[in-house]
Amino acid sequence: MTVENPLTLPPVAAPAEARQRQVLAVTTAPSGFEGEGFPVRRAFAGIDYKHLDPFIMMDQMGEVEYAPGEPKGTPWHPHRGFETVTYIIDGIFDHQDSNGGGGTITNGDTQWMTAGAGLLHIEAPPEHLVVSGGLFHGIQLWVNLPKKDKLMPPRYQDIRGGQVRLLTSPDGGALLRVIAGELDGHDGPGITHTPITMVHATLAPGAEINLPWREDFNGLAYVLAGRGTVGAEHRPIHLGQTAVFGPGSALTVRADEKQDSHTPDLEVVLLGGRPIREPMAHYGPFVMNTRAELQQAFEDFQKGRLGTIPAVHGMSEGENPEGGI
């Protein structure tokens, strides 16, 4: 989602007395493959969980230009104990679950799936995209659930691009898309069990954002494209890197004056959340509090208690749940 003139949007800026968050670390995401073989960057690899909580992991999917016949997805796989947030920047993904839910998300859309007590799930490009090929780019974020909500009934939120709250910087140099949570009193459409803020920011060359940020939230910035700096200390950051911010009430991101020829702007995902501060046991597609709960999740999956896959897809319910997002 974009606008021709960002100055028509509400401006956001941190107050002058706000305490700037320092940058604790900048990490580089390793690249790999997920599902049936689509390329991903593991945005949070190497970051201590104490800085991520309540976020578990995030993959940047693509950016990739598929030739005809190349688009790929993920096979059927289970989830329990957390939420998956799939944000499609370019391209199309179809979703289906064992409860009969799902749908199609495309440019600027987000699917927020609360796995809760568990379900089986599949994500794949539609057949027409497989035939034609095309651009695909998005992210998938995993958000933890507190113990009291881990076994809640599964829930979907389909957030269309037109529902996202659009804001700007005072000079109009940045476009801020609030997908979930709130920023300076402006609420995004995503409803979260764990309080978080998720923003996709586009900064024109040389533009800077200095945003108010809740002091009880952590702060993370991941670069989807382009290059710039983070923090008042202007720490360099570029495509595929994550900045971890320390405590404070404001955070700063600036785009370099000169961007790569194929990347006109700096594209950044900003994340903040209230830490849950509970024990976490994570293995494959399950995120629980204890090892015993993980073992129970696998047993429930193997015995079909998380649902059964429609026979048309031909996958037995005992197949390996490892891998896939």
Side-chain angles (χ1 to χ4, degrees):
M1 291 298 299
T2 188
V3 293
E4 287 189 12
N5 182 9
L7 288 172
T8 61
L9 301 172
V12 176
E17 67 273 14
R19 183 164 63 103
Q20 286 293 324
R21 289 174 177 250
Q22 300 298 304
V23 178
L24 301 180
V26 172
T27 63
T28 301
S31 297
F33 293 92
E34 189 55 86
E36 296 171 340
F38 62 83
V40 297
R41 288 186 174 91
R42 308 289 191 191
F44 296 161
I47 300 174
D48 192 311
Y49 181 64
K50 70 182 180 182
H51 298 308
L52 297 177
D53 185 12
F55 307 110
I56 301 163
M57 58 152 276
M58 188 170 77
D59 283 344
Q60 180 181 8
M61 306 180 294
E63 180 174 0
V64 59
E65 184 75 41
Y66 284 120
E70 285 187 342
K72 298 174 175 66
T74 64
W76 282 97
H77 53 281
H79 287 309
R80 172 180 277 181
F82 64 103
E83 299 184 285
T84 66
V85 182
T86 306
Y87 173 50
I88 299 299
I89 300 168
D90 292 293
I92 308 174
F93 239 21
D94 286 339
H95 295 252
Q96 184 183 359
D97 70 27
S98 52
N99 294 335
T104 298
I105 54 175
T106 185
N107 306 341
D109 295 342
T110 301
Q111 186 204 59
W112 202 292
M113 185 182 79
T114 304
L119 44 63
L120 307 181
H121 185 235
I122 189 171
E123 299 161 303
E127 184 60 31
H128 69 84
L129 182 64
V130 175
V131 171
S132 67
L135 182 62
F136 182 78
H137 189 203
I139 61 172
Q140 187 171 95
L141 172 71
W142 288 14
V143 185
N144 203 1
L145 288 170
K147 184 177 180 65
K148 66 181 181 64
D149 293 327
K150 281 195 176 292
L151 297 182
M152 68 174 293
R155 183 184 72 176
Y156 273 104
Q157 297 175 71
D158 282 314
I159 302 169
R160 297 301 159 186
Q163 297 174 275
V164 170
R165 189 71 164 102
L166 300 181
L167 307 169
T168 189
S169 54
D171 64 359
L175 176 63
L176 308 170
R177 305 167 187 86
V178 185
I179 297 167
E182 66 88 25
L183 183 62
D184 198 30
H186 302 279
D187 294 323
I191 300 170
T192 68
H193 291 280
T194 303
I196 74 165
T197 293
M198 179 179 180
V199 178
H200 173 197
T202 299
L203 287 77
E208 180 176 281
I209 51 175
N210 179 23
L211 303 178
W213 210 251
R214 285 180 49 166
E215 292 199 59
D216 60 336
F217 279 17
N218 60 357
L220 302 161
Y222 176 76
V223 178
L224 294 166
R227 58 184 63 248
T229 62
V230 283
E233 62 269 47
H234 302 299
R235 184 109 172 239
I237 194 169
H238 59 73
L239 166 65
Q241 292 190 316
T242 301
V244 179
F245 290 93
S249 58
L251 57 80
T252 297
V253 179
R254 181 179 177 83
D256 284 356
E257 295 282 354
K258 187 174 182 179
Q259 297 293 326
D260 300 331
S261 59
H262 63 282
T263 305
D265 302 307
L266 174 64
E267 304 280 353
V268 182
V269 174
L270 301 172
L271 296 168
R274 181 189 299 156
I276 296 174
R277 296 193 176 96
E278 293 178 351
M280 184 182 72
H282 171 205
Y283 189 78
F286 305 124
V287 183
M288 306 302 293
N289 292 105
T290 67
R291 183 176 178 84
E293 290 169 346
L294 281 182
Q295 292 172 334
Q296 184 65 54
F298 273 100
E299 179 182 329
D300 289 347
F301 167 69
Q302 291 165 351
K303 293 186 176 180
R305 296 172 186 150
L306 301 189
T308 55
I309 298 161
V312 67
H313 289 275
M315 173 179 167
S316 68
E317 67 181 66
E319 269 196 63
N320 187 358
E322 299 262 4
I325 54 177

